Amino acid sequence: MSDTPVPIPSGSVPAGTPAWSSTDAAPWAQAGLAPWARPMWSVPALLISAVWAIAVEPVPPCSDAAPCGPDWGGMAEVGLAVGLLFWLARLPELTLIAAPALVAVVAWGELPGAGRMSQAANVAVIGALAFGWAAARERLAARSGQRRIAERAAGVRHRLPEPVGPLTRGRFPLGTGLVLCAVAAVAVLLGLSGIRADEQHAARAVQITAQVISRGEESVQVRTDGARRITVDAFYPEDYGVGSTVTVLEDGSWRRLVAEPYDAFGWQLLVLAAGLPGLSLLMVGVLARRRAAALRRAPVPALHVLERTDQEGRTWVYAADDTAGRTALFTCLCTTTFPETDEPTDRTEDEDEAEVEDEVVEDYSVDTRLHEAVLLGAPYEGGELVLVTTDLAGDPIALHTVGPVLLPRTGKKPLLDAPAVTDTDSDTTEPEKQARTDRVAAALTPTGRPVRWGPGPMSRTVGLALTAGVAGGLSLAAQDLVTEGFDWGLLPFLGLLIGVRFAAVLLNWRVTADSTGLWLTDAWTVRHVPWEELRAAKYTDEGGVELRRSDGDAWRLTGLGVPRLERRLRLRPSYVRMTEEVTALHAHPDLRPTEPSPPREHGLPLGPLLLLLVGLAITVVVIR
């Protein structure tokens, strides 16, 4: 349905500003990120290969000949790997530096002298890093291409209008990043100080040969040649069998094993905990400040566009001739800019209260209509922009981005009606349900092709983390079973197998609608429900979905989300969107797809595959 956009006063449009039509915007949209370069491929590739490399890496026991000292190189390696999981998704600029650094560390530090399985895993890590580096480079190239296309489309440049206040994006992450990096630097100094103190004690200490007579959780008790019994702290007491000989360094009341020099693990952990987010925030702040300064420093491209704000607070930008708001070019989070002023104000208390009341009304009254707007700055993923548009009263206002510019995912549309994240059937009357279904149906665009719904990036990230946790926990239990024998305390670890089902659902649940009905993929099976047998689809208060058949049977998925948190954050997860759109398709047959879907689009149950991967991880631990 075509809307009439709210016009912008002619005085707010700089002279010579061209309209960004759909024809002109098409090359810009086509210059976006290639599908293979999306983080959804590079992040899991690095995570899976890194977990594999850690699982198969041999851990040599501590000994006098090979002491277990502080491993700063290993800390850097872990830090780069963990950081890249975030940088691949959000900071391609940092990825171009960190990925080659980690490749060098792995190639020169891990490959030489490693076993065949460990070498294969580390080669996989290097391959994942190379793929991630290429994806980051492609991402930056796409940004440059979009920026050039937008600049050519604008033709002319203008300075920001006078009402635009300070562009503050980047100040908070920049300050927070500096503080966290300072904490990491102090932790490094304290760790090095502890190492120097340990070396000084060791230089003065007397070496004592002793025999291990018992082991504790974090210590060993030894008997010296003089029949003296002493207890020495040990991080790895399992490396010293009862009856074995160890060397103890003793300097007054200070003593330690020769095989275990001071390990600055606690300080290294603080370095990672503070340094990784600190470095990320620092880079985010620097990039944001540079982009904000570029907007202020010189005239910028200006384009006449359409924009709207949805119920989630996101701003969606459309081509100037897309008066129906069908295809958004990009979306971003924006806020109103206010000019800096030192002029005193003389307002009464009643005026202040009236302004507060107006602000409250505006906070809860979201104008989701299309508005004419002037876009200042070249749009590209992650860019900084200013939008001159109109408010509820039709007066000109200036907005600036407070978050990165994002290209909308396929099928993602603005939420124009107030979100009802966790409303169940029991909480809503029949007229309200029907009205909501009609609103969802009105927003759907029938194309005839099959429609698919599945997990989002956050769901897949949680699923990968859960898979790694299950594999790691069961591998540790298997290792204890091999080395220590059976213990009843190992039985609770079998409960981790339940996590395989949840992980498989979070990673790859799928619902596909085609001309024949719905194809439903969970952790273990793929089911088909014809349209004539579908009775209802709903989401539950427990964060799951339920699709009921006319014969009373039901297909359920649980553990897909946290409704209370989603309601607080005003989110609309993919499983909620799926149930609402399936309900709309069920109620409006004319909107259903007219084409059948091939089997490859029905989804793959990941439960058996994850069980196989967990079994392989356990086998590797047992036989190595």
Side-chain angles (χ1 to χ4, degrees):
M1 182 177 65
S2 177
D3 297 327
T4 301
V6 178
I8 186 173
S10 58
S12 300
V13 181
T17 300
W20 202 15
S21 65
S22 299
T23 302
D24 295 334
W28 182 90
Q30 293 172 358
L33 188 62
W36 67 267
R38 298 186 184 279
M40 63 180 293
W41 303 114
S42 55
V43 172
L46 178 58
L47 179 62
I48 293 172
S49 60
V51 170
W52 180 24
I54 293 172
V56 301
E57 181 183 6
V59 181
C62 301
S63 65
D64 293 353
C68 299
D71 186 7
W72 293 99
M75 182 206 71
E77 188 175 348
V78 171
L80 288 173
V82 174
L84 277 165
L85 294 176
F86 174 75
W87 301 333
L88 283 169
R90 292 294 185 183
L91 289 172
E93 297 87 353
L94 203 52
T95 299
L96 294 182
I97 301 172
L102 185 54
V103 167
V105 171
V106 173
W108 276 275
E110 301 294 341
L111 287 180
R116 183 172 299 176
M117 183 65 73
S118 182
Q119 283 186 336
N122 283 296
V123 167
V125 170
I126 292 175
L129 290 170
F131 177 70
W133 187 88
R137 187 176 178 85
E138 167 64 21
R139 194 169 180 177
L140 293 177
R143 291 181 181 182
S144 299
Q146 287 185 319
R147 184 168 58 247
R148 289 192 298 269
I149 292 172
E151 290 172 348
R152 286 198 301 268
V156 296
R157 292 173 176 262
H158 297 277
R159 288 195 175 273
L160 298 186
E162 288 300 325
V164 176
L167 304 178
T168 59
R169 182 182 165 201
R171 291 181 181 177
F172 177 77
L174 190 60
T176 306
L178 287 172
V179 172
L180 290 176
C181 287
V183 171
V186 171
V188 170
L189 294 176
L190 292 174
L192 294 175
S193 176
I195 294 173
R196 284 196 302 270
D198 180 78
E199 291 174 346
Q200 291 170 0
H201 276 294
R204 299 191 302 263
V206 177
Q207 289 193 0
I208 302 172
T209 302
Q211 185 179 33
V212 177
I213 57 176
S214 66
R215 297 182 300 182
E217 291 186 0
E218 295 183 353
S219 63
V220 292
Q221 190 177 36
V222 300
R223 183 173 54 241
T224 66
D225 293 339
R228 186 163 58 105
R229 295 190 177 189
I230 56 177
T231 301
V232 185
D233 293 336
F235 287 104
Y236 311 101
E238 65 276 5
D239 291 345
Y240 314 104
V242 175
S244 63
T245 300
V246 296
T247 304
V248 179
L249 295 175
E250 193 169 23
D251 179 24
S253 60
W254 177 90
R255 64 172 66 97
R256 71 162 171 83
L257 297 170
V258 169
E260 292 191 9
Y262 173 78
D263 191 354
F265 177 75
W267 296 118
Q268 290 175 337
L269 196 61
L270 180 58
V271 171
L272 295 179
L276 289 178
L279 184 59
S280 301
L281 289 171
L282 194 61
M283 179 61 74
V284 168
V286 168
L287 292 174
R289 296 312 302 155
R290 284 184 56 194
R291 292 163 182 164
L295 280 179
R296 282 292 193 186
R297 186 170 52 245
V300 295
L303 292 166
H304 198 175
V305 296
L306 300 178
E307 64 84 20
R308 71 168 12 130
T309 301
D310 68 5
Q311 293 287 348
E312 295 177 321
R314 299 199 66 87
T315 298
W316 299 71
V317 175
Y318 302 83
D321 57 352
D322 188 6
T323 56
R326 295 183 183 276
T327 306
L329 299 175
F330 62 87
T331 178
C332 55
L333 287 173
C334 295
T335 187
T336 306
T337 64
F338 297 97
E340 290 181 319
T341 177
D342 295 329
E343 297 179 2
T345 57
D346 184 16
R347 300 186 304 183
T348 64
E349 184 177 349
D350 292 339
E351 290 174 339
D352 290 341
E353 291 178 355
E355 182 176 341
V356 171
E357 290 177 359
D358 291 342
E359 289 178 355
V360 171
V361 171
E362 290 183 5
D363 285 343
Y364 291 94
S365 301
V366 179
D367 186 2
T368 60
R369 295 176 297 172
L370 281 170
H371 291 246
E372 292 184 355
V374 176
L375 179 67
L376 294 164
Y380 60 91
E381 184 191 23
E384 180 85 12
L385 301 171
V386 169
L387 274 169
V388 179
T389 181
T390 50
D391 58 14
L392 282 168
D395 299 324
I397 58 171
L399 308 177
H400 71 86
T401 51
V402 292
V405 170
L406 300 176
L407 306 182
R409 297 192 303 271
T410 302
K412 178 69 173 177
K413 294 182 179 296
L415 182 62
L416 302 182
D417 298 297
V421 174
T422 56
D423 290 344
T424 60
D425 290 345
S426 60
D427 299 327
T428 312
T429 63
E430 287 298 330
E432 290 174 340
K433 290 186 212 174
Q434 186 60 44
R436 187 171 64 197
T437 300
D438 292 340
R439 289 196 299 268
V440 174
L444 294 178
T445 303
T447 62
R449 295 189 297 271
V451 182
R452 298 187 301 274
W453 301 268
M458 182 60 69
S459 176
R460 286 196 170 99
T461 301
V462 175
L464 287 172
L466 183 58
T467 302
V470 170
L474 291 176
S475 298
L476 290 175
Q479 186 176 20
D480 288 345
L481 181 64
V482 172
T483 57
E484 305 292 339
F486 176 76
D487 188 287
W488 290 104
L490 296 176
L491 289 180
F493 281 92
L494 295 178
L496 291 174
L497 289 172
I498 301 175
V500 172
R501 182 260 175 194
F502 288 103
V505 169
L506 290 172
L507 285 170
N508 207 43
W509 69 268
R510 180 69 61 85
V511 173
T512 303
D514 63 6
S515 59
T516 65
L518 297 176
W519 296 90
L520 314 172
T521 302
D522 54 24
W524 310 108
T525 59
V526 177
R527 296 177 59 181
H528 182 246
V529 178
W531 287 114
E532 58 272 15
E533 296 182 13
L534 179 65
R535 179 181 177 187
K538 72 171 189 175
Y539 41 88
T540 67
D541 284 332
E542 292 75 28
V545 298
E546 182 178 285
L547 275 71
R548 299 175 182 171
R549 295 167 54 108
S550 56
D551 58 4
D553 193 11
W555 180 80
R556 297 179 179 87
L557 288 178
T558 57
L560 295 180
V562 184
R564 180 175 297 180
L565 180 62
E566 292 159 359
R567 182 167 56 247
R568 180 178 295 274
L569 298 177
R570 299 177 66 81
L571 300 178
R572 189 169 178 250
S574 58
Y575 72 92
V576 172
R577 188 171 66 254
M578 181 274 292
T579 55
E580 292 178 347
E581 294 182 359
V582 165
T583 300
L585 294 176
H586 181 247
H588 298 271
D590 55 306
L591 297 176
R592 298 174 188 171
T594 57
E595 301 175 5
S597 58
R600 66 175 179 275
E601 293 186 1
H602 298 165
L604 173 68
L606 283 187
L609 179 60
L610 291 186
L611 277 180
L612 177 61
L613 291 176
V614 171
L616 289 174
I618 295 173
T619 303
V620 168
V621 171
V622 171
I623 66 176
R624 73 176 184 181

